[in-house]
């Protein structure tokens, strides 16, 4: 008798499943404020049931669903997120813009993605500052000098470091935000943890434990983590660490606002959220606070910041929109502009930089020892190290 093999579930089927969508909504932002647990899948299922009306499902099924979504390319990775502004200090995390000739973009991508603190690297536009990425470095190195070193290695013309002078909104609920209408506003926005001027120093134990924590859950075939309801128990035991002590350390880091939340990060373009745009506004300095409060209230905005102004990048306010199309983003940007005009705020300049080619996407590493390896190889003259 001939054996019939059941067809694999397609990515579209996985994303259209209402239980999966509820889990993704919970996983993107719903675990904020929840204490560290070795059993994130069980907690994710509980939050999805309570907040998004998902049926009650066991942690093993949640894990299997997220594993399938990851292997199908709908989810990038699942991991505990760190508040790097608390860990490495205000001046060591920033958005960076690089001006690279089109012939050197591939070289720039290779250089940038080799650095452990680079994440969210996109090509935006084909002229001027066209490569945009986020950069984080531990406190013993200068972020500005590191950005300049990356520019040299990439063979790019110039670089600008755009510090977040104030974070206005961080709402990593892209699935939820993509369902919002153009003019929908929030009654109130969630609390934003502002970076410290002086970052929290890590003990040797904390640094070692973060080396264990920060990598995403391993869903590769044959990995013990892929089949475990307690991936961090597996990981800590493999590192020779008592899971109970590991949990205690993570809870302490949460009390310091360093450990933020467990999160399931979508591969937006594969998940139907195929467009994202960086919106920028230049307004008079005395209008910055007024416009910032307007931008943060729009439900479709996922991230918003007040950033450094340069003569060749004059914008002070930045917001990210993620949706199914450029037209979707344009409609919401127009709604924000209209609200600003109605409030009497003069918009001296404004634009949307649509993210084109993705040059690299990975979680930034917060562990100093990993950064030291990169600097030893790529900065032998120690030009990036801070001087006492």
């Amino acid at each position: 008798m001939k054996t019939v093999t059941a067809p694999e579930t397609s990515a579209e089927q996985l994303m259209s499943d209402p239980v999966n969508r509820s889990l993704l909504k919970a996983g993107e932002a719903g675990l904020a404020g929840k204490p560290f647990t070795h059993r994130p899948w069980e907690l994710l299922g509980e939050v999805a049931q309570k907040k998004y009306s998902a049926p009650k499902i066991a942690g093993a099924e949640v894990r299997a669903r997220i594993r399938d979504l990851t292997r199908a390319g709908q989810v990038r990775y699942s991991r505990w997120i760190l508040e790097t502004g608390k860990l490495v200090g205000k001046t060591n995390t920033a958005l960076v813009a690089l001006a690279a000739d089109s012939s050197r973009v591939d070289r720039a991508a290779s250089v940038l993605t080799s650095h452990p603190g680079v994440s969210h690297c996109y090509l935006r536009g084909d002229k001027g500052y066209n490569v945009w990425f986020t950069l984080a470095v531990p406190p013993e190195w200068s972020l500005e000098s590191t950005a300049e070193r990356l520019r040299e290695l990439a063979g790019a013309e110039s670089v600008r470091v755009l510090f977040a002078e104030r974070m206005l909104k961080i709402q990593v609920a892209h699935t939820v935000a993509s369902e919002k209408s153009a003019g929908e506003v929030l009654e109130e926005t969630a609390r934003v943890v502002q970076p410290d001027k002086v970052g929290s120093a890590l003990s040797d134990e904390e640094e070692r434990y973060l080396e264990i924590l920060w990598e995403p859950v391993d869903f590769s075939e044959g990995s013990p983590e892929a089949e475990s309801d307690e991936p961090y128990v597996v990981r800590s035991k493999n590192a020779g660490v008592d899971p109970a002590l590991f949990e205690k350390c993570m809870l302490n880091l949460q009390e310091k606002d360093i450990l933020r939340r467990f999160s399931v990060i979508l591969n937006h373009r594969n998940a139907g959220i195929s467009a994202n745009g960086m919106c920028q506004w230049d307004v008079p300095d005395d209008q910055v606070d007024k416009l910032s409060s307007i931008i943060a209230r729009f439900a479709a905005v996922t991230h918003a910041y007040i950033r450094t102004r340069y003569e060749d990048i004059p914008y002070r306010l930045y917001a990210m929109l993620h949706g199914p199309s450029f037209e979707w983003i344009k409609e919401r940007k127009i709604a924000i502009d209209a609200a600003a005009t109605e409030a009497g705020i003069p918009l001296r300049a404004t634009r949307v930089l649509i993210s084109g080619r993705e040059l690299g996407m990975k979680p930034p590493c917060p562990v100093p020892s990993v950064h030291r390896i990169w600097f030893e190889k790529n900065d032998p003259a120690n030009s990036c190290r801070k001087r006492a």
Side-chain angles (χ1 to χ4, degrees), residues 259-281:
L259 188 61
R260 194 193 303 172
R261 68 180 188 280
F262 184 82
S263 189
V264 176
I265 306 297
L266 263 66
N267 188 340
H268 305 107
R269 295 181 176 185
N270 288 355
I273 307 173
S274 56
N276 75 73
M278 177 188 290
C279 306
Q280 301 170 319
W281 292 267

Side-chain angles (χ1 to χ4, degrees), residues 7 11 19-20 66 71 118 146 166 224 229 238 243 251 264 357 378:
V19 175
N20 285 346
I66 299 300
R71 291 176 178 173
V118 169
T146 302
R166 190 160 84 241
D229 287 346
N238 286 343
L251 291 171
V264 176
R357 178 180 157 201
N378 296 282

Side-chain angles (χ1 to χ4, degrees), residues 244-258:
L245 293 178
F246 184 83
E247 180 178 9
K248 182 179 179 181
C249 180
M250 294 303 108
L251 291 171
N252 287 338
L253 290 177
Q254 279 190 309
E255 289 182 5
K256 298 177 183 179
D257 282 330
I258 291 173

Side-chain angles (χ1 to χ4, degrees), residues 55-76:
K56 183 177 181 179
I57 53 178
E61 183 180 342
V62 174
R63 181 198 70 234
R65 286 174 176 270
I66 299 300
R67 183 188 62 208
D68 290 347
L69 286 162
T70 303
R71 291 176 178 173
Q74 310 304 299
V75 169
R76 291 187 186 277

Side-chain angles (χ1 to χ4, degrees), residues 303-326:
H303 299 65
Y305 302 86
I306 298 173
R307 294 195 180 276
T308 314
R309 187 201 304 276
Y310 289 91
E311 185 174 340
D312 51 359
I313 307 181
Y315 308 98
R316 287 276 280 148
L317 288 147
Y318 289 67
M320 291 301 301
L321 293 171
H322 297 75
S325 67
F326 172 68

Side-chain angles (χ1 to χ4, degrees), residues 120-314:
H120 296 77
C121 188
Y122 283 95
L123 188 65
R124 293 187 171 116
D126 57 0
K127 295 180 181 179
Y129 292 99
N130 56 345
V131 177
W132 295 74
F133 59 96
T134 55
L135 175 63
V137 297
E140 60 195 271
W141 291 281
S142 161
L143 194 146
E144 296 98 321
S145 297
T146 302
E148 176 60 25
R149 182 59 183 151
L150 288 168
R151 183 202 66 76
E152 293 173 353
L153 293 170
E157 289 85 30
S158 56
V159 67
R160 294 287 180 265
V161 178
L162 303 150
F163 292 109
E165 296 180 8
R166 190 160 84 241
M167 293 191 293
L168 306 175
K169 185 179 185 181
I170 297 181
Q171 180 180 298
V172 196
H174 300 99
T175 307
V176 174
S178 69
E179 298 172 351
K180 302 299 183 182
S181 63
E184 187 172 347
V185 296
L186 305 170
E187 291 298 321
E188 59 181 27
T189 57
R191 169 179 173 259
V192 177
V193 177
Q194 299 296 335
D196 288 340
K197 291 184 178 179
V198 178
S200 299
L202 293 174
S203 67
D204 290 343
E205 180 185 65
E206 288 171 334
E207 183 170 333
R208 182 190 177 201
Y209 286 6
L210 285 183
E211 287 181 355
I212 299 170
L213 176 80
W214 80 275
E215 290 275 12
V217 174
D218 186 358
F219 277 130
S220 60
E221 296 286 351
S223 163
E225 291 182 22
E227 304 301 328
S228 173
D229 287 346
E230 298 183 319
Y232 296 100
V233 167
V234 171
R235 192 176 294 189
S236 53
K237 284 183 176 179
N238 286 343
V241 173
D242 182 344
L245 293 178
F246 184 83
E247 180 178 9
K248 182 179 179 181
C249 180
M250 294 303 108
L251 291 171
N252 287 338
L253 290 177
Q254 279 190 309
E255 289 182 5
K256 298 177 183 179
D257 282 330
I258 291 173
L259 188 61
R260 194 193 303 172
R261 68 180 188 280
F262 184 82
S263 189
V264 176
I265 306 297
L266 263 66
N267 188 340
H268 305 107
R269 295 181 176 185
N270 288 355
I273 307 173
S274 56
N276 75 73
M278 177 188 290
C279 306
Q280 301 170 319
W281 292 267
D282 173 25
V283 298
D285 287 343
D286 63 358
Q287 299 293 309
V288 168
D289 286 342
K290 189 175 182 181
L291 181 54
S292 68
S293 63
I294 291 173
I295 292 171
R297 289 188 60 212
F298 273 80
V301 170
T302 56
H303 299 65
Y305 302 86
I306 298 173
R307 294 195 180 276
T308 314
R309 187 201 304 276
Y310 289 91
E311 185 174 340
D312 51 359
I313 307 181

